[in-house]
Amino acid sequence: MSRKMSTSALIYAATISMPATAGARPEDELTRSRAWVNKDGKFANPWPSWNDQTPYKIGMGLIKRKFAGKANSPDTTPPTVPVRKPEFLSDRSHTNDKIRATWLGHACYYVEFPSGLRVLFDPVFEDRCSPFSFMGPKRYTESPCQIKDIPIIDAVIISHAHYDHLSYPTVVEISNSHPEAHFFVPLGNKKWFKDCGITQCTELDWWDEVDFTLSPKSSDGKRASISTTGSAQPQEDGITSRISCLPCQHTANRGLTDRGATLWASWAVTTKSPTGSEKKLWFGGDTGYRAVPEEADGKDDWSEEYAHLPQCPAFKDIGKYRGPFDLGLIPIGAYSPRWVMSPMHANPRDSVEIFRHTKCERALGIHWGTWVLTEEDVLEPPRKLKDALKLYSIPEEGVFDVCDIGESREV
């Protein structure tokens, strides 16, 4: 029986193990002391590039913008972002040595690795990203598919607990439809999944990692034997990948009083293709890059006047210690007004900086095109992305791209 036939017909079960050889990480005091963990056990961004604004200040600032006539209400009248029906591989077979990534809207990507691994990032399939089904941001572009349309889900990776990245109905349906799927979450989130009835969940701290091994079940339903290696290594009877939890600049909460109770993260997935070549993907999740002051409102905050603003150092560390990456999934939207959003959301210029620092060879834009969360026009992010790429003489197409919702790209 050919490898293609054997891998496509088998049912796989997951094993989580600590790597025999840990990946490199920064040796600075910030990392050694886990400076992102406060004495009360809550989490905070440890860099001067972060500005921890109070909800009151943000609320009052937005109200003043509205009454001053500065606020923008984005027009969601169609056509906006094209939506197409996605086409997934029906099994684990792969016809080439490339990563195949399909955008399912906002920060959700379904990635088919040539090793056979299938990963879903930040899935939210509901109409509203809200604790309520009757209020809150509603989709202005349709979901391109439903969970039942996805043939294989081995791992679900969650960046943080905000409702546009973590949905109770979605994760429960995934768990029911794909009972072998394993969830990977930042610290503090495992309890939430347990309360949802989901036990196949691993939580990790920044710079921690595990080996995720998919072992085929034998005909009697028992797990077939398979050795665990210290690095991602393809094997005839299984698939081993490295899942790494990495920093980003954001925050997390699900209610009014639990801000910082759980960690936020970016993630890396490393696996090897059947030919033995290593494939690496970085998922940015949701992140800011630098905190822009209110006085810069309406100005070019990348001008010489604001060149002194601190930039988040985490992305250079990620590129140095865990890069380079074949593909980056990098947020480009939900950034206006800048003085409110910049600490936690990257705009396209920030995104290109992050792309360069993390050493991604290619990238696809996420975190836009689905819900109105901020004031920029809904089609502005891809326009500004092209402008930002020009500043570094990076081609407007073929390096850091955006695509239609439901579209697949191969890297």
Side-chain angles (χ1 to χ4, degrees):
M1 182 179 291
S2 69
R3 185 179 191 279
K4 176 179 178 180
M5 290 178 65
S6 63
T7 56
S8 63
L10 287 169
I11 297 175
Y12 283 69
T15 301
I16 309 296
S17 60
M18 296 301 295
T21 304
R25 66 177 67 196
E27 295 297 330
D28 60 308
E29 179 57 28
L30 183 152
T31 305
R32 287 197 299 269
S33 65
R34 299 177 65 232
W36 50 91
V37 184
N38 291 334
K39 292 181 180 179
D40 60 2
K42 289 191 173 184
F43 302 98
N45 294 287
W47 311 288
S49 54
W50 170 254
N51 179 8
D52 195 6
Q53 303 177 80
T54 66
Y56 175 80
K57 181 181 178 182
I58 293 174
M60 290 304 296
L62 293 177
I63 291 172
K64 286 192 293 184
R65 279 178 59 81
K66 185 173 182 179
F67 280 102
K70 295 182 178 180
N72 179 51
S73 296
D75 181 8
T76 60
T77 304
T80 54
V81 184
V83 179
R84 62 174 73 175
K85 183 179 180 180
E87 296 180 2
F88 305 117
L89 301 177
S90 60
D91 53 41
R92 295 186 189 276
S93 60
H94 224 71
T95 58
N96 56 41
D97 209 34
K98 297 181 178 181
I99 297 172
R100 188 172 187 272
T102 305
W103 187 34
L104 302 182
H106 200 54
C108 182
Y109 253 93
Y110 179 69
V111 180
E112 297 161 303
F113 290 89
S115 64
L117 179 69
R118 304 293 184 254
V119 182
L120 189 60
F121 293 89
D122 278 4
V124 178
F125 284 84
E126 281 64 58
D127 282 342
R128 296 188 187 273
C129 58
S130 166
F132 309 103
S133 61
F134 57 89
M135 63 180 295
K138 187 175 183 179
R139 287 180 182 269
Y140 61 86
T141 49
E142 296 180 359
S143 180
C145 68
Q146 299 301 315
I147 294 167
K148 63 183 180 181
D149 301 319
I150 303 176
I152 304 170
I153 301 176
D154 297 314
V156 181
I157 293 179
I158 303 295
S159 64
H160 66 294
H162 285 158
Y163 285 89
D164 56 325
H165 298 257
L166 177 60
S167 161
Y168 171 81
T170 290
V171 298
V172 170
E173 184 177 349
I174 291 172
S175 181
N176 291 336
S177 302
H178 299 268
E180 296 290 349
H182 198 92
F183 292 80
F184 292 91
V185 300
L187 278 185
N189 287 284
K190 187 174 182 177
K191 181 183 182 300
W192 185 89
F193 278 80
K194 184 178 180 181
D195 291 343
C196 294
I198 298 172
T199 58
Q200 294 191 145
C201 180
T202 296
E203 65 176 16
L204 297 174
D205 196 2
W206 288 352
W207 298 108
D208 286 347
E209 55 190 1
V210 294
D211 281 347
F212 179 59
T213 302
L214 296 172
S215 304
K217 290 181 177 180
S218 59
S219 58
D220 60 4
K222 295 181 180 180
R223 186 170 298 170
S225 61
I226 185 168
S227 61
T228 302
T229 63
S231 62
Q233 188 73 28
Q235 302 184 46
E236 186 65 24
D237 57 350
I239 304 162
T240 297
S241 306
R242 179 71 56 86
I243 309 292
S244 304
C245 182
L246 298 169
C248 66
Q249 181 170 290
H250 200 58
T251 186
N253 63 291
R254 297 209 38 105
L256 298 176
T257 61
D258 62 341
R259 191 164 186 253
T262 59
L263 188 60
W264 46 96
S266 66
W267 294 84
V269 178
T270 304
T271 187
K272 284 191 176 180
S273 70
T275 64
S277 63
E278 190 173 69
K279 298 298 179 182
K280 299 176 69 175
L281 178 145
W282 181 68
F283 174 63
D286 197 353
T287 187
Y289 181 67
R290 56 205 283 272
V292 174
E294 187 174 1
E295 66 189 48
D297 193 25
K299 301 179 182 178
D300 176 10
D301 57 70
W302 274 98
S303 66
E304 186 64 28
E305 182 180 1
Y306 299 104
H308 65 282
L309 295 179
Q311 302 170 5
C312 181
F315 306 107
K316 285 186 178 179
D317 286 341
I318 290 170
K320 178 179 179 180
Y321 293 102
R322 299 298 170 87
F325 300 96
D326 298 280
L327 177 62
L329 304 176
I330 301 177
I332 64 170
Y335 49 78
S336 181
R338 288 281 284 159
W339 69 268
V340 174
M341 296 297 168
S342 60
M344 65 189 84
H345 288 165
N347 77 350
R349 174 65 189 273
D350 300 334
S351 305
V352 172
E353 300 291 334
I354 292 170
F355 166 74
R356 296 171 65 244
H357 291 329
T358 51
K359 299 181 180 179
C360 294
E361 293 185 16
R362 294 276 304 278
L364 293 167
I366 63 173
H367 206 258
W368 74 286
T370 307
W371 293 288
V372 171
L373 303 176
T374 47
E375 292 185 8
E376 76 273 4
D377 290 334
V378 297
L379 294 177
E380 182 180 282
R383 293 199 301 267
K384 287 201 168 184
L385 176 61
K386 289 186 176 184
D387 292 339
L389 291 169
K390 290 178 184 177
L391 296 174
Y392 292 99
S393 300
I394 299 173
E396 293 182 21
E397 296 182 0
V399 179
F400 191 161
D401 292 319
V402 297
C403 62
D404 295 347
I405 296 174
E407 181 181 357
S408 300
R409 295 288 181 96
E410 292 189 346
V411 176

